[in-house]
């Protein structure tokens, strides 16, 4: 009895297949088998391993290596992802400068087929940059991939490729501000300094003619940036001394901060304490003192002229006194020439009198005996009158009488009795 009950309990826990009983579901197993069977039929993406173990790599083939402007070029490609949109461009300088070196307006687009291949024609146009040129094929959607195929555009100029940049990393090993303020800065001229840096290149390529950004800020204000190009080269792993001029606005003073950037990296910050232009302050102080003083004196002069009364009387008296002094000085100056003229006239008269007296003396000394010159009036001699000539008849000259021998003249004749 115990064994029979045990077998019945076991049948209840695991009922076997039979009419009216559910069968186990085999749908998940069948779906898994179908997926595994269909897996080899799905194409693998570009760049991934195919079923035979080979790697699918995007490739581009051109039907010719050179063509002239205005012609056509056939481009074929394989190994791309199926259903991917591609762009095809003719670019100069091996597309070193990006799509800026490509003829973007004359580009073409194409979609790859189910096997990842395509074939299309593109026009041959002159790119904006000189050759060497390439045909650039790149994906627009999905995983990024690009291929450049060398191509020559006939008649387009050819130039050396530019040097690739971007591998330099500049760092500042030391910085200081050099210079001092002069007398012109004391009167408001723009303050100037020179920022001297010791720059090291930590990158893999040389930095040629690097462009720095110099900024000056005052207080909490944002810095004002200016680009400064340094002429020189900093080789990779070397250092160089760089000097850049810094100038502030006219009349600036206070605490300033000089900053230096290379690209987006802040290299150094140096404080700069600019002294106040005291010469400008002194000028305004003097202007504020001199101008009011001049205006005050002009106003007082106007008041003295217009205000009547004692002040006006004093002013008039002072004006009269000034006029009298001026008139006296003018009179003395006028009398002085008259006095000089009178003295000259008196001297001339005296000289004439003396000359006439000398002539009279000379005439008296040279006259013969018995003829006496008549008294002459002052200033000249007068001829004798007729009465005097009649009263005194002429006397003969004995030494000139005829029959007498010349000799010593006799003495004076005896007076008549």
């Amino acid at each position: 009895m115990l064994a029979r009950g045990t077998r019945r309990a076991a049948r209840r826990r695991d009922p076997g297949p039979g009419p009216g009983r559910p069968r186990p579901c085999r749908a998940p197993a069948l779906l898994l088998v179908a997926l595994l069977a269909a897996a080899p039929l799905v194409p693998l993406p570009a760049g991934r391993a195919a079923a035979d173990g080979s790697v699918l790599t995007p490739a581009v083939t051109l039907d010719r290596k050179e063509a002239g402007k205005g012609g056509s070029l056939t481009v074929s490609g394989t190994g791309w992802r199926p259903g991917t949109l591609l762009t095809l461009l003719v670019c100069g300088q091996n597309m070193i400068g990006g799509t800026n070196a490509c003829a973007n307006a004359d580009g073409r687009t194409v979609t790859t087929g189910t096997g990842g291949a395509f074939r299309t024609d593109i026009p041959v146009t002159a790119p904006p940059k000189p050759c060497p040129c390439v045909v650039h094929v790149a994906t627009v959607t999905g995983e990024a991939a690009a291929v450049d195929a060398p191509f020559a555009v006939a008649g387009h100029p050819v130039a050396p490729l530019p040097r690739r940049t971007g591998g330099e990393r500049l760092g500042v090993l030391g910085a200081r501000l050099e210079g001092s303020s002069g007398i012109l800065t004391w009167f408001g001229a723009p303050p100037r300094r020179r920022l001297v840096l010791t720059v090291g290149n930590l990158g893999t390529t040389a930095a040629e003619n690097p462009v720095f950004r110099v900024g000056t800020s005052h207080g909490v204000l944002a810095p004002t940036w200016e680009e400064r190009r340094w002429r020189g080269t900093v080789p990779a792993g070397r250092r160089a001394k760089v000097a850049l001029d810094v100038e502030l606005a006219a009349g600036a003073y206070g605490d300033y901060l000089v900053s230096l950037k290379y690209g987006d990296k802040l290299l150094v910050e140096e404080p700069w304490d600019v002294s106040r232009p005291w010469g400008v302050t002194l000028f305004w102080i003097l202007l504020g003192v001199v101008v009011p003083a001049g205006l005050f004196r002009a106003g007082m002069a106007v008041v003295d002229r217009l205000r009547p009364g004692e002040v006006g009387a004093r002013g008039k008296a002072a004006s009269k006194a000034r006029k009298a002094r001026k008139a006296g000085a003018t009179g003395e100056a006028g009398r002085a020439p008259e006095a000089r003229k009178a003295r000259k006239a008196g001297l001339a008269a005296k000289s004439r009198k003396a000359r006439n007296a000398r002539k009279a003396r000379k005439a008296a000394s040279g006259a013969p005996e018995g003829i006496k010159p008549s008294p002459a009036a002052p200033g000249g001699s007068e001829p004798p009158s007729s009465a005097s000539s009649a009263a005194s008849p002429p006397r003969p000259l004995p030494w000139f009488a005829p029959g007498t021998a010349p000799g010593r003249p006799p003495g004076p004749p005896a007076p008549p009795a």
Side-chain angles (χ1 to χ4, degrees):
M1 293 296 293
L2 182 60
R4 190 181 297 174
T6 303
R7 286 195 299 269
R8 288 176 181 175
R11 281 197 299 268
R12 292 192 193 100
R13 288 195 301 268
D14 188 15
R21 295 177 183 175
R23 295 187 177 184
C25 180
R26 295 190 178 93
L30 295 176
L31 181 60
L32 180 60
V33 172
L35 289 176
L36 291 176
L41 302 178
V42 178
L44 295 177
R48 296 185 180 182
D52 57 356
S54 61
V55 179
L56 299 177
T57 303
V60 173
T61 305
L62 306 179
D63 66 338
R64 65 189 71 180
K65 296 298 182 181
E66 183 177 355
K69 293 181 288 185
S72 179
L73 177 67
T74 302
V75 182
S76 304
T78 57
W80 297 86
R81 293 175 57 195
T84 302
L85 181 64
L86 304 178
T87 58
L88 295 87
L89 300 171
V90 178
C91 305
Q93 288 185 346
N94 287 351
M95 202 186 170
I96 290 179
T99 56
N100 293 331
C102 303
N104 299 309
D106 297 316
R108 293 294 184 267
T109 58
V110 66
T111 303
T112 59
T114 57
F118 70 90
R119 182 183 177 87
T120 185
D121 295 336
I122 63 173
V124 178
T125 56
K129 300 293 184 179
C131 288
C133 300
V134 295
V135 176
H136 179 72
V137 183
T139 58
V140 178
T141 60
E143 185 179 356
V147 175
D148 293 334
F151 179 71
V153 179
H156 194 63
V158 180
L161 294 176
R163 182 173 298 180
R164 294 180 181 270
T165 59
E168 68 274 7
R169 288 193 304 116
L170 299 182
V172 175
L173 307 179
R176 66 183 182 275
L177 283 174
E178 293 183 352
S180 60
S181 301
I183 188 65
L184 295 180
T185 306
W186 201 68
F187 283 96
R192 293 183 178 89
R193 291 292 187 274
R194 174 166 290 187
L195 182 62
V196 181
L197 311 166
T198 302
V199 179
N201 189 357
L202 308 178
T204 57
T205 60
E208 295 184 358
N209 300 329
V211 179
F212 297 94
R213 299 177 63 196
V214 180
T216 55
S217 59
H218 180 54
V220 297
L221 300 178
T224 303
W225 299 99
E226 295 181 0
E227 290 188 353
R228 302 289 178 84
R229 181 181 294 277
W230 180 72
R231 300 293 179 179
T233 303
V234 184
R238 300 293 183 87
R239 64 179 64 182
K241 187 177 181 181
V242 178
L244 302 173
D245 293 331
V246 183
E247 181 178 340
L248 300 179
Y253 67 92
D255 296 331
Y256 280 81
L257 187 66
V258 180
S259 306
L260 183 72
K261 276 187 175 183
Y262 182 71
D264 295 333
K265 182 180 179 182
L266 181 63
L267 299 181
V268 68
E269 290 183 341
E270 285 290 324
W272 184 7
D273 185 13
V274 184
S275 59
R276 182 185 292 270
W278 292 108
V280 179
T281 305
L282 180 61
F283 169 77
W284 285 112
I285 291 175
L286 293 177
L287 188 64
V289 171
V290 172
V291 172
L295 294 176
F296 175 76
R297 295 195 62 177
M300 292 303 297
V302 172
V303 169
D304 290 342
R305 286 180 176 276
L306 299 179
R307 186 174 61 182
E310 183 180 357
V311 176
R314 285 202 303 267
K316 290 181 180 179
S319 178
K320 289 181 179 180
R322 285 195 299 272
K323 289 181 179 179
R325 286 196 299 270
K326 187 180 293 184
T330 305
E332 291 179 359
R335 285 194 298 271
E338 294 179 358
R340 285 196 297 272
K341 290 180 180 178
R343 285 196 297 271
K344 285 183 179 180
L347 292 175
K350 287 181 180 179
S351 64
R352 283 196 301 273
K353 288 180 181 180
R355 189 165 51 253
N356 294 334
R358 284 195 301 272
K359 288 181 179 179
R361 285 195 300 270
K362 187 179 291 184
S365 62
E369 188 177 355
I371 299 176
K372 296 182 181 178
S374 60
S381 61
E382 293 181 0
S385 62
S386 59
S388 60
S389 63
S392 57
R395 297 177 182 181
L397 299 177
W399 57 89
F400 287 109
T404 59
R408 188 173 183 179

